[in-house]
Amino acid sequence: MLSDPFFAGPGLDRADALRAHPGRISELARRPDARLLLWKEGAPALDEEGRLQWAVVEDDPPLFLGLDGEVPHFSSLPPGNVPIDGRAHFGLLAELHASDAPIFAAALSLANWHRRHGFCSVCGSATTPNRGGWSRACASCSGEHYPRADPVVILLVEHDGRLLLGRQPQYPPQRFSALAGFVEPGETIEAAVARELFEEAGISVRDVTYLASQPWPFPSTLMIGAICTADSDSLTIDYDELDDARWFSRADVEAALAGDPSAPFLPPPRFAIARTLLDRWVAGVARTAA
Ligand SMILES: [Zn+2]
């Protein structure tokens, strides 16, 4: 059975109904089994097995992450800078246990959001955490602001049994991955796919089909994986965006995923949804071009 994307999964019961009741959240924080997430260098701290580290709760932490069964889980707002660039933390992500990844993603995204939204976007006054940390309230204008996720489309593009992959300038040598881009306001997912691929590779595509999604907490992205078919294999690459883009055969992709040293490219790491999409493509779970 194929694994889900890293960071995907239910994580904790977010217990939304409790968020409007600060007294009940305070009672939960006083339970002897309540857990407080530990942070290290701006990211949730991991033990030697890649599991999240927790401590006993001592006062009212600002972030109520949710419940595991009846056990409440909290976080403080970590001091210092919270990472917003995942590349600086690939070592940490390589160690992170998959079963803790959804909680890691939620806590890091939420902490990132609080650190970057200390002031009201309506009137400019300082805001304070509200609803167990799942909003910020402005006392001056009574505005309430909620954490956001920014949608990004990430794409398997097929043509005649081959797959289009690209290299961004910051990738390690030889790495190729799925092309991706932010969905802009007013766009559908399908329109964003068509625009990104035309901008970056000069191709027109059709038959866009959703495959899978993944939260990416740097700072707070929702990766939306899709597959589509290119009308032609003729590329016009935007070298301001990409170092390179090429078509790869199924054998090429299989060799890369198998770690074959003679493979023509290095695949994305296991915690990237692009890797999940490639795994599914070679397994025949993603559809293939007619
Ligand atoms: Zn305000």
Side-chain angles (χ1 to χ4, degrees):
M1 187 175 142
L2 289 165
S3 60
D4 287 332
F6 204 68
F7 293 124
L12 296 169
D13 169 4
R14 296 177 178 226
D16 175 73
L18 292 173
R19 293 176 186 168
H21 305 284
R24 291 177 66 187
I25 294 177
S26 284
E27 282 172 24
L28 288 173
R30 288 194 289 277
R31 279 175 58 122
D33 58 353
R35 306 174 90 192
L36 180 71
L37 183 66
L38 292 179
W39 292 76
K40 182 182 177 186
E41 296 169 0
L46 304 183
D47 67 15
E48 290 179 352
E49 295 176 345
R51 305 304 299 260
L52 294 171
Q53 292 193 283
W54 303 90
V56 174
V57 176
E58 292 189 343
D59 17 83
D60 270 342
L63 310 184
F64 172 54
L65 298 177
L67 302 170
D68 180 3
E70 293 190 351
V71 178
H73 288 59
F74 291 88
S75 176
S76 55
L77 284 171
N81 291 322
V82 175
I84 58 169
D85 183 349
R87 290 189 298 274
H89 294 270
F90 275 11
L92 190 68
L93 298 186
E95 293 173 19
L96 174 59
H97 197 285
S99 61
D100 277 353
I103 305 172
F104 180 102
L108 182 54
S109 270
L110 194 59
N112 273 326
W113 178 76
H114 280 283
R115 293 197 63 83
R116 301 171 90 203
H117 294 81
F119 295 90
C120 178
S121 58
V122 178
C123 76
S125 301
T127 57
T128 51
N130 193 31
R131 290 175 51 80
W134 291 91
S135 75
R136 293 186 73 91
C138 174
S140 294
C141 75
S142 301
E144 188 168 15
H145 304 281
Y146 294 87
R148 57 184 248 185
D150 300 315
V152 165
V153 286
I154 181 161
L155 308 157
L156 296 183
V157 186
E158 291 184 308
H159 184 271
D160 198 18
R162 294 185 300 164
L163 208 55
L164 178 65
L165 300 175
R167 269 189 58 73
Q168 292 182 14
Q170 68 271 22
Y171 283 178
Q174 299 300 117
R175 172 164 296 158
F176 278 76
S177 187
L179 301 183
F182 282 97
V183 180
E184 295 186 344
E187 272 186 326
T188 60
I189 291 172
E190 291 83 353
V193 167
R195 177 181 54 75
E196 280 293 335
L197 292 173
F198 191 77
E199 286 174 1
E200 294 194 357
I203 52 172
S204 299
V205 298
R206 55 191 155 82
D207 301 335
V208 178
T209 304
Y210 169 82
L211 292 178
S213 67
Q214 177 198 50
W216 183 250
F218 302 99
S220 194
T221 299
L222 177 64
M223 308 295 292
I224 302 168
I227 188 167
C228 59
T229 302
D231 290 334
S232 150
D233 63 359
S234 174
L235 302 176
T236 304
I237 298 170
D238 176 359
Y239 288 105
D240 288 334
E241 294 278 335
L242 298 175
D243 265 358
D244 198 2
R246 295 185 207 164
W247 295 99
F248 292 98
S249 70
R250 183 171 296 272
D252 290 337
V253 178
E254 285 174 347
L257 293 178
D260 184 338
S262 65
F265 71 97
L266 286 178
R270 72 179 176 101
F271 46 78
I273 190 175
R275 178 65 169 262
T276 310
L277 300 179
L278 292 176
D279 284 340
R280 292 186 181 189
W281 188 73
V282 298
V285 177
R287 69 171 169 73
T288 53

